[in-house]
Amino acid sequence: MTVYNRVTRFWFKLLVLLPSAWFFLFVLLPFLLILVVSVSATEFAQPPYKSILSFANNVLQIKIHLNNYISLLSDAMFFDAYVNSLVLSLLTAVLCLFIAFPLAYFVSRTSQSTKMILLIMVIVPSIIAFIIRVYAWMECINVFNHFNCTSNLLSSIHQDSESLQADSVSTGYFGVLLVMVHSYLPFMFLPLYSAIDKIPSKLIEAAYDLGCRPFQTFVKVIFPLAHSGVLTGCAFVIIPAMGEFIIPDLLGGGRILVVGQMICDELFLNRDWPAACSVTIVMLAIISVFLLALKSRWGK
Amino acid sequence: MRFLFYIVAVYGFLYIPIVLVVLSSFSTSGDILHWSGVSFCWYRKLFCQREIIDAAYFSFRVAFVSASISSALGLLCAYLLVNSKRSDSWHHNENNTDTNQSLKEPKSIRLLNVLSMAPLLVSEIVLGLAFLLAFNLFSNWGFAVNPMHRLVIAHITLGCAYTVSILKASLLSVDKSIEEAALDLGAKPHHVFIHVTLPIISRALLVSWLMAFLISMDDVIIASFLHGSGVVTLPLLIFSRLKFGVTPDINALASILIFMAISVSVVVWRVMKNDKQRDVDN
């Protein structure tokens, strides 16, 4: 019996080793590398950064450059990019919340068979490749523009008249927001749905019986019980939306400066990898501070 | 009634662009606005383009390999996570003196749990940057990885985040008395796994494979960070087409991909429905 157990434990340890090695190599190491490169100096070489470890006179030296962060803080362009990204992702999260909450409530209160179909119908658009959805919206906005029903509001792509150019930053913004809401709606919907689905309908009935109006029921019963879903949904929307650059690039015509675009530009145009890494680190810091603040404010 | 109107509006918002693209792919003029008849000419034109066929084949290979490996790795991970979490699994049969040693495990296991979920906690662009730096470092150390393998490794790691969570939930729902019965009847742990546990979770395994496949087919950002010279993936090709001029045959391509996504979700739906039905029958 003991031999058998020892063999089992040996295999267990060996089996743990394989995925651990994988995740150390391809998750932990790459993430640490971003941090390390963000404090190293830029160099015109391959790779375009200087190792922070150097070996001179038999002494191991660690040189940390904080120039990237300082230049990042002093440059107004970066500040604009962060503000733009933050505002865009917050607006997306709020709009998603407003659209998804009643939907999730409605879906959770329908019969079992309808529920399944409605759920699948929300999930299907998110299964379709992201780039296809963006393309579909580009076509769709094109059609809207043709019928002129939204005249200036949505015009963002295929816009060649110079006269509209001054206007188009704000007009493109609406299109970008629309597509972002469409893309991230399922991320908000699913956590909300699973939170709302758990609320027993007895509680809501009780609130009605005790004389609550629908709005009061919502504020005093449904929303407090669903707030974990709201927090998770907000996190799921804000995290990817902060790094989003494809939608602003394609629909905003590259005129809306976002953090994702800054990272790409630093990386591929300027070949300044340390700058790209420091931009990323600051972005991650902003996201985590924001989410932690949200959690401590609203969470339990 | 007003609520119903709202629901219809939301579903309309979700589906109008998709329906529009599918419709315009059948238009002779390649445009829904200048409708002049139904034809399949854009589909024909699509299949004449070597570049698109190559990209689709490349994407398919990457997605197939990465989905398979990430399901396997995810299964292994989920199995380890679940079995270390269940204090009363087969370790329970051991003598009390031995359990101290097996209690050491959870720390490494917890780290494994966090690391496998980490790709979900950051934006895709951060993952792309991280992989770019890592593969650059590896090639400096003398382990150059070719572009396809880079992409496969990145997609496996991303896919694992999903497969681990799907399979973990599925493994936790397995009735452990069945496994224990097999162990009591003298089956070795690996036999129990192959003949008892695996058949029970086979549907979840299929779902997680499909999920990983779709994620790999979906990805633009990581691919744009990692692609080398040569073949690009299909989403990346579409992205560059969108940036530098759209041709109507993209409608046809989009329709095919939309059809694929819908059929996959129907398969998943049927699988889940049968699963639920079976639970009810039991």
Side-chain angles (χ1 to χ4, degrees):
Chain A
M1 194 64 189
T2 41
V3 173
Y4 165 67
N5 278 328
R6 202 167 294 152
V7 169
T8 311
R9 222 172 19 248
F10 171 73
W11 277 108
F12 197 82
K13 270 180 187 159
L14 204 70
L15 284 175
V16 171
L17 211 63
L18 177 69
S20 304
W22 180 279
F23 289 119
F24 265 106
L25 211 55
F26 298 121
V27 178
L28 198 61
L29 181 80
F31 284 167
L32 286 179
L33 215 54
I34 295 182
L35 198 62
V36 169
V37 173
S38 79
V39 291
S40 33
T42 315
E43 200 178 38
F44 286 106
Q46 176 62 30
Y49 59 89
K50 211 181 244 164
S51 174
I52 57 165
L53 295 175
S54 57
F55 210 68
N57 305 329
N58 290 333
V59 182
L60 186 68
Q61 293 177 318
I62 301 176
K63 283 184 190 155
I64 292 181
H65 289 252
L66 292 173
N67 302 21
N68 305 310
Y69 290 98
I70 293 165
S71 64
L72 197 138
L73 290 174
S74 57
D75 198 337
M77 194 170 69
F78 288 103
F79 183 75
D80 285 351
Y82 283 117
V83 170
N84 271 343
S85 274
L86 201 60
V87 168
L88 199 59
S89 52
L90 284 183
L91 275 175
T92 309
V94 169
L95 281 175
C96 280
L97 185 63
F98 272 108
I99 295 173
F101 204 103
L103 186 70
Y105 180 74
F106 178 80
V107 171
S108 69
R109 300 296 132 184
T110 50
S111 69
Q112 202 63 43
S113 53
T114 348
K115 195 187 272 186
M116 202 64 196
I117 292 170
L118 289 177
L119 263 180
I120 292 284
M121 276 181 68
V122 177
I123 297 167
V124 163
S126 70
I127 285 176
I128 295 168
F130 169 75
I131 196 78
I132 297 294
R133 275 176 285 153
V134 176
Y135 169 64
W137 269 110
M138 286 166 76
E139 288 288 286
C140 203
I141 290 174
N142 218 4
V143 170
F144 286 160
N145 281 342
H146 186 265
F147 288 117
N148 239 4
C149 56
T150 45
S151 58
N152 273 336
L153 258 176
L154 289 168
S155 57
S156 57
I157 44 169
H158 307 290
Q159 192 180 65
D160 24 23
S161 56
E162 286 288 317
S163 57
L164 280 169
Q165 203 110 84
D167 226 26
S168 52
V169 174
S170 58
T171 52
Y173 205 82
F174 189 75
V176 171
L177 199 60
L178 193 72
V179 180
M180 283 185 73
V181 170
H182 185 263
S183 308
Y184 295 123
L185 191 62
F187 293 146
M188 179 63 92
F189 174 79
L190 290 175
L192 265 183
Y193 168 77
S194 64
I196 293 177
D197 199 35
K198 283 192 198 110
I199 301 175
S201 49
K202 274 179 197 162
L203 283 181
I204 296 162
E205 283 160 22
Y208 279 131
D209 282 350
L210 294 170
C212 265
R213 322 223 59 191
F215 183 72
Q216 275 178 309
T217 318
F218 172 74
V219 171
K220 296 206 162 150
V221 180
I222 302 171
F223 196 78
L225 285 172
H227 89 282
S228 68
V230 174
L231 281 181
T232 320
C234 284
F236 279 6
V237 172
I238 289 171
I239 289 170
M242 271 296 277
E244 182 62 63
F245 70 97
I246 286 180
I247 296 173
D249 188 15
L250 288 176
L251 282 130
R255 280 185 290 266
I256 300 170
L257 198 61
V258 288
V259 180
Q261 195 60 53
M262 299 297 290
I263 296 172
C264 285
D265 286 352
E266 289 293 346
L267 207 59
F268 297 116
L269 294 182
N270 300 350
R271 283 200 54 84
D272 189 350
W273 289 18
C277 290
S278 53
V279 173
T280 310
I281 294 287
V282 172
M283 180 183 85
L284 288 176
I286 291 176
I287 294 176
S288 31
V289 164
F290 186 79
L291 289 179
L292 285 176
L294 204 68
K295 191 162 181 268
S296 64
R297 184 79 182 75
W298 295 99
K300 282 272 153 68
Chain B
M1 200 57 213
R2 221 182 317 158
F3 223 47
L4 200 68
F5 178 75
Y6 173 80
I7 300 302
V8 170
V10 172
Y11 281 102
F13 167 66
L14 285 175
Y15 282 94
I16 281 174
I18 294 161
V19 171
L20 205 82
V21 164
V22 175
L23 280 182
S24 51
S25 76
F26 294 113
S27 160
T28 320
S29 62
D31 198 339
I32 193 108
L33 295 170
H34 312 96
W35 188 268
S36 53
V38 177
S39 81
F40 284 92
C41 65
W42 298 114
Y43 289 88
R44 254 205 316 281
K45 280 198 181 120
L46 183 71
F47 289 114
C48 293
Q49 293 187 43
R50 190 79 214 150
E51 197 187 13
I52 287 180
I53 302 292
D54 281 347
Y57 180 58
F58 181 71
S59 260
F60 183 80
R61 270 193 309 171
V62 168
F64 190 87
V65 174
S66 59
S68 306
I69 298 178
S70 69
S71 304
L73 196 63
L75 179 62
L76 180 61
C77 252
Y79 188 74
L80 294 172
L81 292 175
V82 169
N83 278 299
S84 67
K85 212 180 267 176
R86 273 191 202 164
S87 54
D88 50 351
S89 69
W90 68 64
H91 288 292
H92 191 63
N93 300 342
E94 294 169 8
N95 304 329
N96 278 336
T97 47
D98 281 357
T99 43
N100 276 337
Q101 268 183 322
S102 60
L103 277 177
K104 266 188 205 161
E105 225 88 278
K107 212 164 210 176
S108 66
I109 290 287
R110 220 177 304 145
L111 190 64
L112 192 65
N113 195 7
V114 171
L115 285 183
S116 67
M117 291 297 158
L120 284 183
L121 300 178
V122 295
S123 339
E124 241 176 296
I125 190 168
V126 181
L127 270 184
L129 178 62
F131 280 120
L132 181 70
L133 293 176
F135 287 122
N136 189 274
L137 188 72
F138 294 156
S139 70
N140 283 346
W141 285 347
F143 300 102
V145 187
N146 81 27
M148 183 183 167
H149 295 162
R150 275 190 238 170
L151 209 54
V152 168
I153 288 172
H155 285 177
I156 290 169
T157 313
L158 182 61
C160 262
Y162 293 88
T163 55
V164 168
S165 53
I166 295 172
L167 291 170
K168 208 163 68 181
S170 162
L171 279 171
L172 279 173
S173 71
V174 172
D175 186 358
K176 59 180 183 286
S177 60
I178 303 174
E179 288 177 345
E180 276 163 12
L183 279 172
D184 284 348
L185 292 171
K188 293 209 166 125
H190 59 274
H191 285 146
V192 176
F193 180 71
I194 291 167
H195 296 292
V196 180
T197 317
L198 211 53
I200 297 175
I201 61 159
S202 60
R203 285 161 191 278
L205 206 58
L206 176 68
V207 170
S208 73
W209 190 90
L210 286 173
M211 196 75 195
F213 186 85
L214 285 171
I215 283 159
S216 172
M217 286 293 269
D218 200 37
D219 164 67
V220 188
I221 297 174
I222 294 176
S224 75
F225 275 72
L226 293 183
H227 84 277
S229 55
V231 203
V232 292
T233 64
L234 193 57
L236 200 57
L237 185 74
I238 297 172
F239 178 55
S240 63
R241 288 275 174 100
L242 293 189
K243 254 188 119 162
F244 303 112
V246 192
T247 45
D249 45 11
I250 296 291
N251 278 329
L253 183 60
S255 305
I256 293 172
L257 289 175
I258 289 169
F259 176 73
M260 262 173 56
I262 290 177
S263 42
V264 165
S265 41
V266 168
V267 168
V268 171
W269 177 41
R270 301 302 301 185
V271 165
M272 271 161 41
K273 207 175 166 192
N274 287 345
D275 228 16
K276 230 167 226 167
Q277 198 63 48
R278 206 186 45 184
D279 286 349
V280 171
D281 290 346
N282 286 344

